[in-house]
Amino acid sequence: MNHKDGFVGFRDDLAATYRKAGFWQGRTLGAVLRDAAAQWPTSTAIKSDDGDLTYREVDEAADRMASGLIALGIEPGDRVVVQLPNTTEFVPTLFGLLRAGAIPVLCLPAHRALEIGHLAELSGAVGYVIPDSAAGFDYRELAETVRARVPSLAHVLVLGEPGPFTALDTVPREPTTLPDLDPSDIALLLVSGGTTGVPKLIPRTHDDYVYNATASARVCELTNDDVYLVTLPAAHNFPLACPGILGTLSVGGAVTFVADPSPENAFATIERHGVTVTAVVPPLAQLWCVATDWEDANLETLRLLQVGGAKLAESNAREVRPQLGATLQQVFGMAEGLLNYTRLDDSDDIVATTQGRPLSPADEVRVVDADGSPVPTGTEGELTTRGPYTIRGYYRAEEHNVRAITSDGFYRSGDLVTQLPSGHLMVTGRIKDVINRGGENVSCDELEEHLLAHPAVRHAAAVGIPDDSLGEKICAALVVVDAMPSLAEFKSFLTDRGLAPYKLPDSLYRLESLPITAVGKIDKRALAAQIAG
Ligand code: OOB
């Protein structure tokens, strides 16, 4: 086993199996772009309103960035926090860092001083890449705050006006010799998407992440005719490598970005650049579906809409093709590794009602009860998993890893699932996303699914409210289309659907919008605080 500076590597015997079976190819992420540029030098790699870039241009830009970073003194293995919005420059910057052997710590634009300070400190970062400002927020001020807390951050590189820091566009240099990298080493650090606790760092190796992206590209049948739109924040695993930016570049396709995923903006981009594939979270999928009623952009090039990150209600799943004209693919993934996809030839019912099946034949999925014993197929339990692209431990988190990983190397996801005989998984909740009402456990997911089926409801979140006699009571937080139905109306609607009386909401809470996390999932913690108000 490979144990290095807080990095828990794959077990030697399993690593050998993954190599032998060809899942790991000994290729670095930097080489993915290099190989594509050799094969399709004049094809468009990035489409943007400022002009398109060919593979050769992006490849050369990445080399110049890598050489400039090395000239600055950045060494192989150095961690560099990257917090860029969705723009073209994300690509040469990321590949520049990777080719210099630096380890990008991929933070989201919505992260602020608390998260960035923590992640920079934990990773011991020497650099921080930011835009000058984006979406009305000045990242240079954030960098000043973070640098006061984390003095190791020697280099702050700014896309745009640098202020007191260094302009990113002054970094590139004439290409020099780049370091030789070991594909089994950490390539990058992803940030855990949990809605509870402080974020953790997820080490992904070149070997495992190249496989993650290329196998995903195969499942989505991506080719060099595809145009992938980065709608979610580029630093998130889903648009980055599932198959996302990396998967698209591995097959010679083109990538384009939107900073603002509103239907108006995203639809115009889809039409302008002939976008064929994109990935969104369920609230955005829902919004796009209703928006086709008033937006008249032509979406006919869009062939595949990937939806994941949180549970997509069946009622919403069934709207995707009629409203957007694209095939729906449900994606149940995690930055820690395991990816589940519905396949393009799965039946409509499987696509509407399951969250897909594992990407790799080497993914081991074990659904277990509270004691860790496997449950029979079709029974709900916690998803635990091991495989060629699933981590064996969080970065520098020895104590937490004891709980997060079983003794035989399975990652405990905390997700409740049932597995069908076909291997497809249905996500039924989170171990902790349960309301305990007087000793009865109510799954928030289940209740939300039923609430969403009500025609007046646009978004729904079930939240436990502390209660002296029952421990917790059930509050349904709702965004409604017009008038808010009464509690009595909801109770009879839910009862008619067959919901047990103990699962009915005790109160309703109306909002204009639900609070969301950095990637756009419903933020239950913030919501509970808001309701407790
Ligand atoms: C993706 O990754 P993360 O790391 O932001 O969040 C992972 C967690 C999962 O453990 C699960 O609780 C939830 O998000 N989740 C889903 C889901 N997809 C993710 N829950 C229900 N249904 C789904 N389809 O969110 C992510 C990473 C790669 C691809 C797609 C999503």
Side-chain angles (χ1 to χ4, degrees):
M1 183 143 24
N2 186 351
H3 261 288
K4 203 160 69 177
D5 184 30
F7 169 55
V8 190
F10 288 79
R11 229 170 60 186
D12 290 338
D13 57 330
L14 288 168
T17 314
Y18 299 149
R19 275 194 198 97
K20 190 150 176 265
F23 301 126
W24 291 359
Q25 299 178 350
R27 204 152 68 118
T28 60
L29 284 167
V32 170
L33 176 62
R34 179 83 73 228
D35 296 347
Q39 198 169 347
W40 302 281
T42 57
S43 298
T44 300
I46 300 178
K47 289 193 166 204
S48 93
D49 295 339
D50 303 330
D52 297 348
L53 294 172
T54 64
Y55 271 89
R56 182 183 288 139
E57 287 168 329
V58 177
D59 186 46
E60 287 174 1
D63 275 346
R64 284 195 300 274
M65 182 61 78
S67 305
L69 291 164
I70 292 168
L72 276 183
I74 290 177
E75 296 185 357
D78 280 351
R79 274 79 59 202
V80 175
V81 175
V82 177
Q83 189 182 27
L84 288 176
N86 283 1
T87 62
T88 299
E89 285 83 1
F90 183 87
V91 177
T93 307
L94 178 72
F95 279 100
L97 286 163
L98 290 167
R99 286 183 179 172
I103 299 176
V105 181
L106 292 171
C107 294
L108 303 175
H111 286 138
R112 293 293 176 260
L114 203 66
E115 291 96 2
I116 300 290
H118 166 72
L119 296 167
E121 202 161 47
L122 176 62
S123 63
V126 303
Y128 182 21
V129 185
I130 52 169
D132 46 11
S133 64
F137 180 79
D138 194 326
Y139 286 84
R140 293 160 300 193
E141 286 172 18
L142 174 59
E144 306 235 28
T145 311
V146 173
R147 198 146 74 156
R149 172 172 160 192
V150 191
S152 67
L153 284 175
H155 310 281
V156 176
L157 308 175
V158 184
L159 177 62
E161 284 302 316
F165 305 116
T166 307
L168 185 63
D169 64 7
T170 63
V171 174
R173 290 278 179 282
E174 276 313 299
T176 50
T177 312
L178 300 177
D180 263 339
L181 304 173
D182 178 347
S184 66
D185 270 348
I186 305 181
L188 44 81
L189 290 161
L190 298 174
V191 173
S192 69
T195 49
T196 51
V198 283
K200 289 176 285 289
L201 287 170
I202 297 169
R204 303 294 302 259
T205 65
H206 292 276
D207 271 328
D208 93 69
Y209 216 49
V210 170
Y211 177 58
N212 187 112
T214 54
S216 294
R218 275 193 297 279
V219 157
C220 295
E221 299 174 16
L222 282 192
T223 70
N224 53 356
D225 289 331
D226 276 302
V227 180
Y228 179 89
L229 175 65
V230 185
T231 305
L232 297 175
H236 189 267
N237 186 37
F238 193 5
L240 183 59
C242 309
I245 299 171
L246 299 174
T248 303
L249 295 177
S250 76
V251 299
V255 173
T256 186
F257 292 85
V258 275
D260 156 27
S262 67
E264 188 186 7
N265 193 47
F267 289 4
T269 306
I270 291 171
E271 180 172 339
R272 205 162 52 247
H273 292 304
V275 168
T276 60
V277 184
T278 192
V280 296
V281 287
L284 200 53
Q286 235 179 312
L287 180 63
W288 283 16
C289 282
V290 294
T292 52
D293 290 347
W294 65 82
E295 295 290 341
D296 54 11
N298 181 346
L299 304 180
E300 71 187 7
T301 55
L302 190 68
R303 69 168 177 92
L304 184 66
L305 183 74
Q306 301 182 284
V307 183
K311 177 80 174 273
L312 178 66
E314 183 186 336
S315 51
N316 293 143
R318 295 206 187 265
E319 285 176 5
V320 168
R321 187 189 292 284
Q323 293 295 108
L324 297 167
T327 298
L328 167 67
Q329 179 180 58
Q330 292 215 40
V331 187
F332 164 38
M334 49 208 76
E336 288 82 358
L338 180 71
L339 301 171
N340 301 280
Y341 292 95
T342 56
R343 302 308 201 259
L344 303 194
D345 59 358
D346 277 341
S347 72
D348 287 351
D349 283 338
I350 286 286
V351 173
T353 59
T354 79
Q355 280 64 56
R357 63 182 172 83
L359 171 65
S360 173
D363 282 321
E364 299 172 76
V365 165
R366 208 187 264 165
V367 183
V368 300
D369 63 18
D371 302 327
S373 310
V375 298
T377 304
T379 307
E380 183 186 74
E382 184 190 3
L383 169 77
T384 68
T385 183
R386 186 170 77 172
Y389 60 100
T390 295
I391 56 164
R392 301 309 147 113
Y394 291 96
Y395 184 66
R396 296 187 173 170
E398 216 175 311
E399 238 170 77
H400 181 74
N401 284 339
V402 175
R403 275 169 285 140
I405 312 285
T406 66
S407 55
D408 51 357
F410 280 67
Y411 165 63
R412 288 196 169 115
S413 71
D415 293 318
L416 291 170
V417 299
T418 48
Q419 189 161 31
L420 306 178
S422 63
H424 289 82
L425 295 166
M426 305 208 296
V427 180
T428 51
R430 290 274 312 157
I431 281 188
K432 293 198 183 87
D433 200 11
V434 168
I435 301 171
N436 189 324
R437 188 182 188 282
E440 307 263 30
N441 280 338
V442 179
S443 153
C444 294
D445 257 35
E446 184 192 16
L447 177 54
E448 287 159 13
E449 177 104 30
H450 287 289
L451 288 165
L452 278 169
H454 192 289
V457 174
R458 183 155 288 162
H459 301 294
V463 185
I465 303 295
D467 181 79
D468 286 344
S469 59
L470 288 168
E472 279 186 305
K473 274 189 168 179
I474 305 169
C475 175
L478 302 171
V479 177
V480 290
V481 182
D482 280 316
M484 179 79 156
S486 68
L487 181 61
E489 267 177 84
F490 270 115
K491 285 188 172 173
S492 75
F493 172 78
L494 296 167
T495 305
D496 286 348
R497 290 178 66 86
L499 208 65
Y502 73 89
K503 297 179 181 172
L504 297 175
D506 297 292
S507 61
L508 304 177
Y509 185 81
R510 180 178 184 169
L511 325 84
E512 289 310 311
S513 62
L514 293 175
I516 53 173
T517 66
V519 77
K521 306 185 194 190
I522 294 169
D523 188 338
K524 287 272 173 104
R525 263 204 309 178
L527 186 57
Q530 190 176 333
I531 295 173

